[in-house]
Amino acid sequence: MSVYPHPTDGGAGTGRRGVLVSFEGISGIGKSHLTRLVARRLDGPLVVEEFSGRRKRGDLGSRIVSALAEAAGADRFLRGGCPASETLLLLAVQLHTFETIRVPLHTGRTVLEGRSLHSVAVYQAAALHPHNDAAALAQAHALMAEATAWRPAPDLTVLLTDRTGRALARAEQRDGRPIGADERAVHERCARLFEELTAGNPRVRRLDRAAQPDPQTAADLIADWISTARPLPWPDPASEGVPA
């Protein structure tokens, strides 16, 4: 199992592109834990850490995240007071991630991506429209459309859900700090936005942690989903100026 970033980490060519899988959901939902469990069930996947794990790396995407975190201070949502600029920078991070993993995907390697396009679309739409749910949902759809003009959406998105209170309690225990009322309201709103944004999307599979609390069983199920996922065709990297 490899961990992001490895720009030219590929492996033997297989003639079939690898599957790009994203894990989405609010904080404390179990994305990182389940990603690790699923990775152990696959053949040498490349694991892309979510934002919180990238702040001390030297690559371009990590430097952008670090700059956003510094500007935001203690704000967990990377809100530094300039939501439009922050949105474009986070979309740039997502594009950089894809440019980094494109070669491994083309050589047949499965890539597991923590917090991908849907997280940026949901949380930034909520920041751009803090008091208007309908506008936030429309903005989230617009951000997904803009993002996928620059990079493909994942072949499979695993949306993890749970009772918000349980998820946030796990996040508090993990981080060793309480989640205030304002942050809790953002997460509750974003949990709804995730559901509404992905409704009817055939590439999105939902896993309710309340209905399936055993992480090993959940990881088995997700691994089965990945094994049956079929990647959509992309241009060959050599035709796009990507080193082979």
Side-chain angles (χ1 to χ4, degrees), residues 109-195:
R109 199 167 178 188
T110 298
V111 174
L112 307 181
E113 188 179 9
R115 283 204 185 278
S116 185
L117 301 180
H118 290 90
S119 279
V120 174
V122 162
Y123 279 96
Q124 293 309 114
L128 289 162
H129 301 282
H131 307 297
N132 187 327
D133 288 348
L137 179 58
Q139 183 71 71
H141 280 292
L143 288 173
M144 285 296 296
E146 179 64 27
T148 53
W150 288 89
R151 58 152 283 181
D155 301 303
L156 170 66
T157 292
V158 179
L159 176 60
L160 301 173
T161 64
D162 199 348
R163 291 191 290 273
T164 304
R166 288 205 330 172
L168 297 185
R170 288 193 293 264
E172 288 179 321
Q173 183 176 23
R174 177 196 66 201
D175 298 339
R177 56 180 281 200
I179 294 176
D182 172 65
E183 292 178 355
R184 190 172 296 272
V186 171
H187 282 300
E188 289 173 348
R189 188 170 181 233
C190 287
R192 296 192 299 271
L193 275 174
F194 271 121
E195 293 277 4

Side-chain angles (χ1 to χ4, degrees), residues 52-66:
S52 60
R54 303 190 201 177
R55 296 183 186 180
K56 295 183 179 179
R57 299 182 183 273
D59 63 282
L60 176 61
S62 300
R63 290 181 179 183
I64 293 173
V65 173
S66 296

